[in-house]
């Protein structure tokens, strides 16, 4: 579903992402792990066609992000690390806006908005302006908007930040459900326990370079993912 | 600490004007030069208009030996402009500033936070004062000759009035903040209040010559009435005209004592004011909830919602659109006789009247600036917009369309009023529609191009983008220049060569061509610039 081949992105002289290669199959959840400033958000934004990159290739369902960005964007949904949504819109207007852009028909949007917003407990608040929402509510709204059009690829940047334990649990359930429908999920996280339990594959990145990538069981071996990550992070530091 | 905080605030105000264009120092320097030129041009234009009006007043005041009234009127304009310019700024920069809680969590005295915020607003207030004070002083010296003591008293008095304007702004801003915090339709109330304050200012400005006429006819009575109603301004006027230190001390007392009281009151309540939860009653879901439309229409609706959702945006960028119907009604009611007289008394009177009817709404449309900050206002949600499956061209077109709709509806109302009131012929109707609408289209596309050239996404407060960003200034003053240019050419060189009506049709063609050229720029280079952002 998502193929990242030798992706490189530089900011001036700094290589934010350096020769990154990832292949995410349909129905797969891939966790993207790395320290702050490792290049996770840059790679994610490049995958979503938000950020142009220097070299390499990104393909979504066989389509090139560089050559056919619109077709790729129609297949995916992206939730940024900070839910900076349009604060002047009400929650309902925001969801309708997203549904219009992704051409979700009236019946489907009503069904999905009701289901997801009620599940996250924000349905009653949809009449209020987003500016009045708490961080967690904004995050739930952003997730509702992303899940509403049942994307083939869901890209999430730190999706569990700001969510209460119940909402985190529900999101994990929903992520699994989406994968059962054949979609793929690529998400970055600092919560290694979540990555360990939820992800089929994990990719560990440091200073833009991929350090370890593969099935979760294989990456962690006999250790916990936390131990693997810390060891790799130390080695990464020594390399630098 | 105070200096550090003030420096940060002033840096914030200043940096809102000039965008950082990546790491390209050349482009940043170019933007700096462009902004400096624009500011100089704007200051020159405003200064000239105020100066010309006060030059006339100075001559009359000198004849009638009423210099004190000249300074009192100048003081009133300074107070009003300062107040209108900063009253809503106090709301966003003082009472509801987004970084209040951050600063209060730091080891800084709340009074220092308050003082630096007041000082930053004071600097803006002073800029507004200077906008009136400098041309007033120059006009006076041109008529009366340079009088050092008068100038010194005027400068000192103006500084004191700045403090008084700051006090009134802070008090009213406090009230506005309290009022808007507890109602659901706070945006509507804010816009109505802004319009009311601005209306008072415009009314006072328009009445300046009338005041002087009344004073000349009824000198003593009017002076007594003025003294009773506005003692601070009366003493300010007399102090400047006579060089009386005691009167200046009285002005100082009237200006500084309320400020000291306000500072004392605010410093005692600042933590409570800055941290109070502003909870309006919760809105319930109502109406048709699940409405669907195409992506382009959705984007246009989103743009329009952003205008209605931000009173500062609506007021500052939509002032022209709001004034167009008001101006049309004013012309239809008050100006009709005058224009009919013009039609009869001047050789080309009818054509001149048509010119005035076309130009009034055209000027209003140049002051309509919705598209100019629309890209910058995406701010941190720009990534969200770029992640959507819509073409850059569609996004930019949606912004331009929203501008056209928001400006077009009041323009259509204004033109209908003018056309009906002045009983125009079909040909005159055609021109009346063509010129203002072509100017509206030019303004929409020019604003978009300006924002593509001077974007700014790293703002904390959208007010700064709407009021002071480079793209807004470029669109406003650049647009005014483009509108004024053909008129200047006409009045200097072309009057003997071409009649007014064909010239106005040429102007329409000029704006259509310019709009198409700019639209091509937006659709080609603009799209590439957008994609690289």
């Amino acid at each position: 579903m998502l193929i990242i081949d030798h992706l490189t992105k530089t900011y001036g002289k700094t290589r934010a992402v350096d020769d990154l290669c990832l292949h995410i199959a349909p129905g797969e959840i891939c966790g993207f792990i790395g320290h702050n400033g490792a290049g996770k958000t840059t790679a994610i934004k490049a995958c979503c066609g938000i950020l142009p990159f220097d070299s390499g290739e990104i393909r979504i369902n066989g389509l090139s992000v560089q050559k056919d960005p619109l077709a790729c964007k129609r297949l995916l949904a992206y939730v940024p690390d900070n839910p900076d949504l349009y604060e002047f819109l009400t929650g309902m207007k925001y969801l309708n806006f997203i549904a219009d852009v992704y051409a979700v028909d009236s019946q489907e949007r009503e069904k999905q908005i009701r289901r997801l917003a009620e599940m996250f407990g924000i349905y009653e608040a949809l009449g209020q302006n987003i500016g009045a929402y708490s961080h967690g509510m904004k995050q739930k709204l952003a997730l509702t908007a992303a899940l509403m059009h049942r994307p083939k690829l869901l890209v999430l940047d730190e999706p569990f930040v700001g969510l209460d334990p119940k909402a985190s649990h529900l999101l994990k359930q929903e992520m699994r459900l989406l994968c059962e429908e054949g979609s793929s999920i690529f998400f970055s996280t600092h919560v290694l326990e979540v990555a360990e339990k939820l992800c089929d594959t994990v990719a560990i990145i440091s200073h833009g370079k991929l350090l370890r990538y593969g099935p979760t069981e294989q990456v962690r071996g006999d250790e916990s993912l936390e131990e693997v990550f810390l060891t790799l992070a130390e080695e990464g530091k020594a390399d630098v | 600490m105070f200096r550090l905080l003030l420096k940060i605030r002033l840096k914030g105000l200043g940096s809102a004007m000039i965008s950082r264009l990546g790491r390209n120092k050349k482009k940043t320097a170019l933007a700096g030069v462009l902004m400096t030129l624009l500011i100089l041009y704007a200051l020159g234009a405003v200064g000239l208009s105020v100066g010309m009006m006060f030059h006339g007043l100075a001559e009359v005041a000198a004849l009638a030996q009423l210099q004190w009234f000249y300074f009192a009127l100048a003081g009133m304009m300074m107070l009003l402009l300062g107040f209108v310019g900063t009253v809503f700024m106090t709301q966003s920069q003082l009472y509801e500033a987004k970084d209040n809680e951050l600063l209060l969590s730091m080891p800084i005295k709340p009074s220092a936070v308050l003082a630096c915020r007041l000082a930053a607003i004071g600097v803006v207030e002073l800029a507004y004062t200077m906008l009136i004070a400098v041309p007033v002083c120059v006009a006076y010296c041109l008529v009366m000759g340079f009088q050092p003591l008068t100038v010194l008293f005027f400068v000192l008095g103006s500084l004191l009035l700045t403090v008084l304007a700051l006090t009134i702004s802070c008090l009213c801003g406090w009230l506005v903040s309290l009022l808007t915090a507890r109602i659901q339709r706070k945006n509507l109330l804010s816009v109505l209040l802004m319009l009311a304050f601005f209306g008072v200012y415009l009314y006072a400005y328009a009445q300046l010559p009338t005041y002087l006429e009344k004073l000349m006819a009824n000198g003593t009575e009017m002076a007594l009435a003025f003294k009773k109603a506005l003692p601070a301004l009366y003493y300010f006027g007399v102090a400047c005209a006579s060089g009386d230190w005691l009167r200046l001390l009285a002005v100082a007392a009237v200006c500084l004592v309320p400020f000291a009281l306000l500072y004392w009151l605010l410093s005692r309540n600042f933590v409570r004011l800055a941290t109070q939860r502003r909870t309006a009653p919760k809105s319930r879901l109502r109406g048709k909830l699940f409405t669907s439309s195409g992506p382009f229409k959705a984007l246009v609706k989103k743009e329009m919602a952003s205008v209605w959702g931000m009173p500062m945006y609506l007021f500052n960028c939509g002032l022209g659109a709001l004034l167009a119907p008001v101006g049309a009604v004013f012309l239809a009611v008050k100006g009709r006789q005058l224009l009919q007289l013009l039609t009869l008394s001047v050789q080309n009177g009818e054509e001149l009247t048509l010119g005035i009817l076309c130009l009034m709404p055209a000027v209003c449309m140049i002051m309509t600036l919705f598209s100019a900050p629309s890209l910058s206002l995406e701010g941190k949600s720009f990534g969200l917009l770029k992640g959507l499956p819509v073409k850059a061209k569609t996004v930019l077109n949606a912004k331009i369309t929203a501008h056209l709709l928001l400006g077009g509806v009041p323009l259509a109302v204004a033109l209908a009023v003018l056309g009906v009131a002045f009983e125009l012929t079909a040909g005159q109707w055609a021109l009346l529609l063509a010129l203002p609408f072509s100017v509206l289209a030019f303004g929409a596309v020019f604003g978009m191009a300006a924002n593509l050239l001077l974007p700014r996404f790293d703002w904390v407060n959208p007010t700064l983008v709407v009021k002071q960003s480079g793209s807004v200034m470029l669109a406003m003053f650049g647009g005014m220049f483009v509108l004024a240019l053909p008129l200047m050419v006409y009045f200097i060189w072309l009057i003997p060569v071409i009649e007014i009506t064909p010239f106005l049709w040429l102007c329409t063609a000029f704006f259509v061509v310019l709009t198409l050229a700019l639209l091509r720029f937006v659709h080609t280079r603009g799209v590439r610039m957008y994609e690289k952002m």
Side-chain angles (χ1 to χ4, degrees):
Chain A
M1 179 60 68
L2 172 67
I3 298 173
I4 305 173
D5 261 341
H6 304 287
L7 172 70
T8 299
K9 167 75 188 172
T10 55
Y11 292 110
K13 286 177 184 170
T14 313
R15 286 199 159 211
V17 180
D18 191 356
D19 203 33
L20 181 73
C21 293
L22 294 175
H23 290 205
I24 301 168
E28 186 180 305
I29 301 181
C30 176
F32 201 29
I33 301 163
H35 57 82
N36 292 331
K40 300 186 298 290
T41 300
T42 302
I44 280 176
K45 283 187 175 174
C47 288
C48 299
I50 297 171
L51 212 57
F53 45 91
D54 306 321
S55 61
E57 174 76 289
I58 300 173
R59 288 185 169 274
I60 296 169
N61 214 16
L63 299 165
S64 164
V65 168
Q66 266 181 323
K67 287 177 190 153
D68 203 351
L70 282 194
C72 289
K73 285 177 187 176
R74 277 189 201 106
L75 296 173
L76 65 84
Y78 163 61
V79 178
D81 53 347
N82 231 331
D84 291 309
L85 311 174
Y86 300 119
E87 304 213 335
F88 49 83
L89 293 179
T90 63
M92 185 57 89
K93 281 185 180 162
Y94 177 72
L95 292 175
N96 271 315
F97 167 66
I98 296 291
D100 284 340
V101 169
Y102 283 92
V104 182
D105 66 60
S106 298
Q107 279 185 330
E108 179 66 8
R109 82 173 63 180
E110 181 170 357
K111 188 181 116 191
Q112 292 295 349
I113 289 173
R114 278 194 195 282
R115 187 181 73 80
L116 291 161
E118 275 170 7
M119 180 182 85
F120 284 125
I122 55 165
Y123 188 79
E124 288 304 316
L126 289 181
Q128 287 177 51
N129 270 14
I130 298 172
Y133 285 17
S134 67
H135 184 276
M137 282 167 80
K138 285 180 191 168
Q139 183 72 354
K140 287 173 186 176
L141 184 70
L143 288 164
T144 304
L147 291 162
M148 176 176 57
H149 58 96
R150 311 314 284 168
K152 287 277 165 207
L153 174 68
L154 180 62
V155 184
L156 308 161
D157 199 354
E158 301 289 350
F160 299 101
V161 174
L163 290 185
D164 55 62
K166 189 183 168 195
S168 290
H169 173 72
L170 290 166
L171 174 61
K172 282 182 256 176
Q173 270 187 349
E174 194 58 32
M175 285 163 80
R176 264 284 151 231
L177 184 70
L178 194 69
C179 285
E180 280 164 19
E181 290 171 17
S183 301
S184 307
I185 297 173
F186 180 42
F187 77 102
S188 71
T189 184
H190 288 299
V191 192
L192 298 179
E193 290 84 1
V194 171
E196 202 165 350
K197 284 178 188 163
L198 189 67
C199 298
D200 303 308
T201 56
V202 287
I204 301 176
I205 183 176
S206 177
H207 300 99
K209 287 196 171 185
L210 189 65
L211 298 182
R212 193 74 65 88
Y213 173 50
T216 311
E217 300 291 310
Q218 203 179 310
V219 169
R220 72 182 168 97
D222 295 332
E223 296 172 294
S224 71
L225 201 53
E226 189 178 22
E227 283 168 323
V228 175
F229 176 70
L230 291 173
T231 312
L232 286 170
E234 279 305 307
E235 284 171 7
K237 240 188 226 172
D239 288 345
V240 174
Chain B
M1 184 57 71
F2 173 78
R3 277 178 64 186
L4 180 69
L5 289 172
L6 182 63
K7 205 173 150 188
I8 291 169
R9 295 226 71 76
L10 292 178
K11 213 174 167 183
L13 289 174
S15 64
M17 290 180 161
I18 301 164
S19 59
R20 276 185 224 129
L21 300 169
R23 292 185 168 91
N24 194 331
K25 282 183 183 171
K26 250 186 186 174
K27 279 188 179 175
T28 311
L30 192 72
V33 172
L34 187 70
M35 279 309 301
T36 313
L37 286 174
L38 267 175
I39 291 167
L40 286 175
Y41 163 66
L43 289 177
V46 175
L48 205 67
S49 99
V50 174
M52 277 163 72
M53 173 165 265
F54 272 89
H55 188 270
L57 287 175
E59 282 174 340
V60 182
L63 275 175
Q65 291 293 305
L66 293 166
Q67 286 90 335
W68 72 268
F69 194 65
Y70 174 82
F71 290 113
L73 279 182
M76 189 172 79
M77 295 320 295
M78 284 189 254
L79 264 184
L80 274 172
L81 185 66
F83 168 70
V84 172
T86 57
V87 62
F88 286 94
M89 200 176 178
T90 61
Q91 206 183 344
S92 60
Q93 298 284 310
L94 190 64
Y95 305 114
E96 295 170 26
K98 289 192 173 175
D99 55 348
N100 268 344
E101 290 185 6
L102 176 72
L103 288 179
L104 288 174
S105 73
M106 291 178 178
I108 306 168
K109 280 184 182 172
S111 58
V113 178
L114 172 69
C116 88
R117 291 198 185 289
L118 284 175
I121 300 169
V123 169
V124 179
E125 196 88 66
L126 187 62
Y128 281 117
T129 303
M130 302 266 285
L131 217 56
I132 302 280
V134 172
V136 161
C137 195
V138 171
Y140 188 80
C141 290
L142 284 174
V143 174
M144 302 293 290
F146 180 67
Q147 297 165 358
L149 197 64
T150 305
V151 172
L152 176 70
F153 271 62
F154 180 67
V155 170
L156 290 175
S158 301
L159 290 174
L160 290 168
L161 286 183
T162 306
V163 178
L164 184 62
L166 178 64
T167 310
I168 299 170
S169 287
C170 289
L171 272 174
C172 290
W174 192 355
L175 284 176
V176 171
S177 179
L178 284 174
L179 263 174
T180 53
R182 283 170 177 76
I183 58 165
Q184 254 184 37
R185 294 189 176 271
K186 65 160 81 174
N187 294 335
L188 183 68
L189 180 70
S190 295
V191 172
L192 288 176
L193 286 172
M194 283 175 192
L195 280 175
F197 291 148
F198 190 70
V200 169
Y201 172 75
L202 277 187
Y203 179 76
Y205 195 77
Q207 292 296 313
L208 277 181
T210 322
Y211 296 145
L212 212 62
E213 276 171 26
K214 280 184 183 169
L215 191 80
M216 286 182 76
N218 259 323
T220 325
E221 271 178 41
M222 184 79 177
L224 276 173
F226 201 94
K227 186 180 172 184
K228 210 174 169 184
L230 302 161
L233 292 174
Y234 173 75
Y235 287 126
F236 168 73
V238 174
C240 293
S242 62
D244 185 341
W245 282 101
L246 279 175
R247 296 264 163 77
L248 191 68
L249 281 175
V251 176
V254 172
C255 295
L256 296 179
V257 171
F259 178 74
L261 276 171
L262 175 89
Y263 184 75
W264 177 77
L265 198 70
L266 282 180
S267 59
R268 283 180 70 96
N269 293 288
F270 185 62
V271 177
R272 194 171 56 80
L273 284 171
T275 54
Q276 74 182 9
R277 282 179 71 88
R278 292 170 167 85
T279 45
K282 288 184 176 172
S283 318
R284 292 186 168 201
L285 281 170
R286 55 174 173 236
K288 201 180 171 198
L289 299 180
F290 305 97
T291 52
S292 63
S293 53
F296 179 73
K297 200 175 165 191
L299 285 165
V300 174
K301 271 158 68 180
K302 187 219 101 187
E303 287 304 319
M304 293 178 68
S306 78
V307 174
W308 295 120
M310 287 189 259
M312 269 291 179
Y313 186 14
L314 176 60
F315 182 71
N316 283 282
C317 297
L319 190 61
L322 294 166
L323 284 178
V326 178
V329 171
F330 182 80
L331 265 186
V333 177
K334 292 260 181 182
R336 208 170 156 191
Q337 278 183 332
L338 191 74
L339 290 177
Q340 276 168 351
L341 198 69
L342 190 77
T343 310
L344 295 172
S345 56
V346 182
Q347 198 187 358
N348 286 336
E350 199 175 338
E351 278 198 295
L352 199 59
T353 302
L354 181 63
I356 292 169
L357 295 186
C358 288
L359 281 176
M360 189 284 292
V363 170
C364 289
M365 288 306 107
I366 273 297
M367 285 163 62
T368 304
L369 304 160
F370 294 118
S371 62
S374 60
L375 201 56
S376 297
L377 282 172
E378 295 290 341
K380 288 176 184 165
S381 20
F382 187 54
L384 176 81
L385 189 66
K386 280 194 84 180
L388 296 176
V390 280
K391 287 181 185 168
K393 194 175 164 183
T394 313
V395 173
L396 301 177
N397 281 345
K399 288 179 185 294
I400 292 171
T401 307
H403 181 122
L404 292 174
L405 288 172
L406 289 163
V409 174
L411 177 62
V413 173
L415 297 182
V417 170
L418 290 175
V420 172
F422 287 88
E423 296 163 1
L424 300 182
T425 62
Q428 290 170 329
W429 261 107
L431 183 61
L432 184 71
L433 290 169
L435 182 59
F437 270 105
S438 65
V439 173
L440 168 69
F442 164 75
V445 185
F446 183 49
M448 194 69 259
N451 206 186
L452 283 162
L453 289 167
L454 297 166
R456 177 149 195 104
F457 297 109
D458 56 346
W459 44 265
V460 179
N461 195 320
T463 308
L464 295 180
V465 179
V466 165
K467 285 186 93 159
Q468 293 164 325
S469 65
S471 58
V472 172
M473 288 209 171
L474 179 62
M476 183 158 76
F477 296 112
M480 280 180 179
F481 178 74
V482 174
L483 183 63
L485 191 69
L487 296 177
M488 281 193 295
V489 170
Y490 181 74
F491 284 111
I492 296 171
W493 291 296
L494 297 178
I495 284 189
V497 182
I498 185 167
E499 296 283 319
I500 294 175
T501 306
F503 169 73
L504 290 176
W505 276 113
L506 276 178
C507 280
T508 308
F510 169 69
F511 277 105
V512 170
V513 170
L514 216 54
T515 306
L516 291 173
L518 278 169
L519 196 63
R520 191 173 155 72
F521 168 81
V522 169
H523 285 169
T524 51
R525 270 193 73 183
V527 165
R528 287 200 293 277
M529 287 159 101
Y530 174 92
E531 280 164 355
K532 277 184 186 167
M533 280 172 193

